[in-house]
mmCIF file with all atom_site columns, all heavy atoms in Angstrom:
data_model
loop_
_atom_site.group_PDB
_atom_site.id
_atom_site.type_symbol
_atom_site.label_atom_id
_atom_site.label_alt_id
_atom_site.label_comp_id
_atom_site.label_asym_id
_atom_site.label_entity_id
_atom_site.label_seq_id
_atom_site.pdbx_PDB_ins_code
_atom_site.Cartn_x
_atom_site.Cartn_y
_atom_site.Cartn_z
_atom_site.occupancy
_atom_site.B_iso_or_equiv
_atom_site.pdbx_formal_charge
_atom_site.auth_seq_id
_atom_site.auth_comp_id
_atom_site.auth_asym_id
_atom_site.auth_atom_id
_atom_site.pdbx_PDB_model_num
ATOM 1  N N   . ALA A 1 296 ? 0.758  4.105  16.739 1.00 0.00 ? 296 ALA A N   1
ATOM 2  C CA  . ALA A 1 296 ? 1.232  3.258  15.624 1.00 0.00 ? 296 ALA A CA  1
ATOM 3  C C   . ALA A 1 296 ? 2.689  3.571  15.311 1.00 0.00 ? 296 ALA A C   1
ATOM 4  O O   . ALA A 1 296 ? 3.502  2.669  15.073 1.00 0.00 ? 296 ALA A O   1
ATOM 5  C CB  . ALA A 1 296 ? 0.359  3.476  14.391 1.00 0.00 ? 296 ALA A CB  1
ATOM 6  N N   . LYS A 1 297 ? 3.045  4.859  15.327 1.00 0.00 ? 297 LYS A N   1
ATOM 7  C CA  . LYS A 1 297 ? 4.429  5.262  15.036 1.00 0.00 ? 297 LYS A CA  1
ATOM 8  C C   . LYS A 1 297 ? 5.366  4.828  16.159 1.00 0.00 ? 297 LYS A C   1
ATOM 9  O O   . LYS A 1 297 ? 6.441  4.285  15.917 1.00 0.00 ? 297 LYS A O   1
ATOM 10 C CB  . LYS A 1 297 ? 4.520  6.776  14.835 1.00 0.00 ? 297 LYS A CB  1
ATOM 11 C CG  . LYS A 1 297 ? 3.933  7.219  13.496 1.00 0.00 ? 297 LYS A CG  1
ATOM 12 C CD  . LYS A 1 297 ? 4.073  8.713  13.287 1.00 0.00 ? 297 LYS A CD  1
ATOM 13 C CE  . LYS A 1 297 ? 3.522  9.097  11.909 1.00 0.00 ? 297 LYS A CE  1
ATOM 14 N NZ  . LYS A 1 297 ? 3.375  10.548 11.759 1.00 0.00 ? 297 LYS A NZ  1
ATOM 15 N N   . ALA A 1 298 ? 4.958  5.085  17.403 1.00 0.00 ? 298 ALA A N   1
ATOM 16 C CA  . ALA A 1 298 ? 5.836  4.786  18.544 1.00 0.00 ? 298 ALA A CA  1
ATOM 17 C C   . ALA A 1 298 ? 6.096  3.290  18.689 1.00 0.00 ? 298 ALA A C   1
ATOM 18 O O   . ALA A 1 298 ? 7.181  2.873  19.086 1.00 0.00 ? 298 ALA A O   1
ATOM 19 C CB  . ALA A 1 298 ? 5.232  5.339  19.825 1.00 0.00 ? 298 ALA A CB  1
ATOM 20 N N   . LEU A 1 299 ? 5.057  2.482  18.380 1.00 0.00 ? 299 LEU A N   1
ATOM 21 C CA  . LEU A 1 299 ? 5.174  1.031  18.610 1.00 0.00 ? 299 LEU A CA  1
ATOM 22 C C   . LEU A 1 299 ? 5.367  0.260  17.316 1.00 0.00 ? 299 LEU A C   1
ATOM 23 O O   . LEU A 1 299 ? 5.408  -0.974 17.327 1.00 0.00 ? 299 LEU A O   1
ATOM 24 C CB  . LEU A 1 299 ? 3.925  0.518  19.342 1.00 0.00 ? 299 LEU A CB  1
ATOM 25 C CG  . LEU A 1 299 ? 3.648  1.136  20.719 1.00 0.00 ? 299 LEU A CG  1
ATOM 26 C CD1 . LEU A 1 299 ? 2.363  0.563  21.307 1.00 0.00 ? 299 LEU A CD1 1
ATOM 27 C CD2 . LEU A 1 299 ? 4.822  0.898  21.671 1.00 0.00 ? 299 LEU A CD2 1
ATOM 28 N N   . ASP A 1 300 ? 5.465  0.995  16.196 1.00 0.00 ? 300 ASP A N   1
ATOM 29 C CA  . ASP A 1 300 ? 5.629  0.373  14.894 1.00 0.00 ? 300 ASP A CA  1
ATOM 30 C C   . ASP A 1 300 ? 4.526  -0.660 14.631 1.00 0.00 ? 300 ASP A C   1
ATOM 31 O O   . ASP A 1 300 ? 4.799  -1.800 14.238 1.00 0.00 ? 300 ASP A O   1
ATOM 32 C CB  . ASP A 1 300 ? 7.029  -0.282 14.815 1.00 0.00 ? 300 ASP A CB  1
ATOM 33 C CG  . ASP A 1 300 ? 7.434  -0.534 13.373 1.00 0.00 ? 300 ASP A CG  1
ATOM 34 O OD1 . ASP A 1 300 ? 6.875  0.131  12.472 1.00 0.00 ? 300 ASP A OD1 1
ATOM 35 O OD2 . ASP A 1 300 ? 8.295  -1.409 13.142 1.00 0.00 ? 300 ASP A OD2 1
ATOM 36 N N   . LEU A 1 301 ? 3.293  -0.256 14.870 1.00 0.00 ? 301 LEU A N   1
ATOM 37 C CA  . LEU A 1 301 ? 2.160  -1.166 14.657 1.00 0.00 ? 301 LEU A CA  1
ATOM 38 C C   . LEU A 1 301 ? 2.010  -1.456 13.163 1.00 0.00 ? 301 LEU A C   1
ATOM 39 O O   . LEU A 1 301 ? 2.188  -0.560 12.326 1.00 0.00 ? 301 LEU A O   1
ATOM 40 C CB  . LEU A 1 301 ? 0.858  -0.546 15.185 1.00 0.00 ? 301 LEU A CB  1
ATOM 41 C CG  . LEU A 1 301 ? 0.785  -0.248 16.687 1.00 0.00 ? 301 LEU A CG  1
ATOM 42 C CD1 . LEU A 1 301 ? -0.595 0.316  17.045 1.00 0.00 ? 301 LEU A CD1 1
ATOM 43 C CD2 . LEU A 1 301 ? 1.065  -1.499 17.521 1.00 0.00 ? 301 LEU A CD2 1
ATOM 44 N N   . SER A 1 302 ? 1.673  -2.691 12.849 1.00 0.00 ? 302 SER A N   1
ATOM 45 C CA  . SER A 1 302 ? 1.442  -3.081 11.455 1.00 0.00 ? 302 SER A CA  1
ATOM 46 C C   . SER A 1 302 ? 0.010  -2.716 11.051 1.00 0.00 ? 302 SER A C   1
ATOM 47 O O   . SER A 1 302 ? -0.836 -2.433 11.908 1.00 0.00 ? 302 SER A O   1
ATOM 48 C CB  . SER A 1 302 ? 1.648  -4.586 11.299 1.00 0.00 ? 302 SER A CB  1
ATOM 49 O OG  . SER A 1 302 ? 0.647  -5.275 12.041 1.00 0.00 ? 302 SER A OG  1
ATOM 50 N N   . ARG A 1 303 ? -0.250 -2.774 9.747  1.00 0.00 ? 303 ARG A N   1
ATOM 51 C CA  . ARG A 1 303 ? -1.635 -2.538 9.300  1.00 0.00 ? 303 ARG A CA  1
ATOM 52 C C   . ARG A 1 303 ? -2.558 -3.607 9.872  1.00 0.00 ? 303 ARG A C   1
ATOM 53 O O   . ARG A 1 303 ? -3.705 -3.324 10.203 1.00 0.00 ? 303 ARG A O   1
ATOM 54 C CB  . ARG A 1 303 ? -1.691 -2.477 7.782  1.00 0.00 ? 303 ARG A CB  1
ATOM 55 C CG  . ARG A 1 303 ? -0.785 -1.351 7.272  1.00 0.00 ? 303 ARG A CG  1
ATOM 56 C CD  . ARG A 1 303 ? -1.369 -0.512 6.191  1.00 0.00 ? 303 ARG A CD  1
ATOM 57 N NE  . ARG A 1 303 ? -0.527 0.695  6.093  1.00 0.00 ? 303 ARG A NE  1
ATOM 58 C CZ  . ARG A 1 303 ? -0.640 1.607  5.168  1.00 0.00 ? 303 ARG A CZ  1
ATOM 59 N NH1 . ARG A 1 303 ? -1.566 1.504  4.244  1.00 0.00 ? 303 ARG A NH1 1
ATOM 60 N NH2 . ARG A 1 303 ? 0.139  2.660  5.157  1.00 0.00 ? 303 ARG A NH2 1
ATOM 61 N N   . ALA A 1 304 ? -2.037 -4.821 10.013 1.00 0.00 ? 304 ALA A N   1
ATOM 62 C CA  . ALA A 1 304 ? -2.846 -5.902 10.610 1.00 0.00 ? 304 ALA A CA  1
ATOM 63 C C   . ALA A 1 304 ? -3.185 -5.559 12.074 1.00 0.00 ? 304 ALA A C   1
ATOM 64 O O   . ALA A 1 304 ? -4.314 -5.799 12.529 1.00 0.00 ? 304 ALA A O   1
ATOM 65 C CB  . ALA A 1 304 ? -2.102 -7.230 10.540 1.00 0.00 ? 304 ALA A CB  1
ATOM 66 N N   . ASP A 1 305 ? -2.231 -4.967 12.806 1.00 0.00 ? 305 ASP A N   1
ATOM 67 C CA  . ASP A 1 305 ? -2.520 -4.545 14.190 1.00 0.00 ? 305 ASP A CA  1
ATOM 68 C C   . ASP A 1 305 ? -3.627 -3.488 14.208 1.00 0.00 ? 305 ASP A C   1
ATOM 69 O O   . ASP A 1 305 ? -4.526 -3.518 15.047 1.00 0.00 ? 305 ASP A O   1
ATOM 70 C CB  . ASP A 1 305 ? -1.273 -3.914 14.843 1.00 0.00 ? 305 ASP A CB  1
ATOM 71 C CG  . ASP A 1 305 ? -0.163 -4.920 15.130 1.00 0.00 ? 305 ASP A CG  1
ATOM 72 O OD1 . ASP A 1 305 ? -0.468 -6.097 15.393 1.00 0.00 ? 305 ASP A OD1 1
ATOM 73 O OD2 . ASP A 1 305 ? 1.020  -4.501 15.101 1.00 0.00 ? 305 ASP A OD2 1
ATOM 74 N N   . LEU A 1 306 ? -3.525 -2.532 13.276 1.00 0.00 ? 306 LEU A N   1
ATOM 75 C CA  . LEU A 1 306 ? -4.514 -1.450 13.233 1.00 0.00 ? 306 LEU A CA  1
ATOM 76 C C   . LEU A 1 306 ? -5.901 -1.993 12.899 1.00 0.00 ? 306 LEU A C   1
ATOM 77 O O   . LEU A 1 306 ? -6.912 -1.569 13.479 1.00 0.00 ? 306 LEU A O   1
ATOM 78 C CB  . LEU A 1 306 ? -4.090 -0.379 12.222 1.00 0.00 ? 306 LEU A CB  1
ATOM 79 C CG  . LEU A 1 306 ? -2.773 0.330  12.586 1.00 0.00 ? 306 LEU A CG  1
ATOM 80 C CD1 . LEU A 1 306 ? -2.279 1.185  11.421 1.00 0.00 ? 306 LEU A CD1 1
ATOM 81 C CD2 . LEU A 1 306 ? -2.944 1.184  13.836 1.00 0.00 ? 306 LEU A CD2 1
ATOM 82 N N   . VAL A 1 307 ? -5.951 -2.956 11.990 1.00 0.00 ? 307 VAL A N   1
ATOM 83 C CA  . VAL A 1 307 ? -7.225 -3.593 11.637 1.00 0.00 ? 307 VAL A CA  1
ATOM 84 C C   . VAL A 1 307 ? -7.781 -4.343 12.850 1.00 0.00 ? 307 VAL A C   1
ATOM 85 O O   . VAL A 1 307 ? -8.982 -4.269 13.142 1.00 0.00 ? 307 VAL A O   1
ATOM 86 C CB  . VAL A 1 307 ? -7.038 -4.526 10.409 1.00 0.00 ? 307 VAL A CB  1
ATOM 87 C CG1 . VAL A 1 307 ? -8.224 -5.462 10.243 1.00 0.00 ? 307 VAL A CG1 1
ATOM 88 C CG2 . VAL A 1 307 ? -6.816 -3.686 9.147  1.00 0.00 ? 307 VAL A CG2 1
#
Side-chain angles (χ1 to χ4, degrees):
K297 286 182 178 168
L299 300 178
D300 199 21
L301 298 182
S302 66
R303 301 223 165 173
D305 290 329
L306 297 169
V307 165

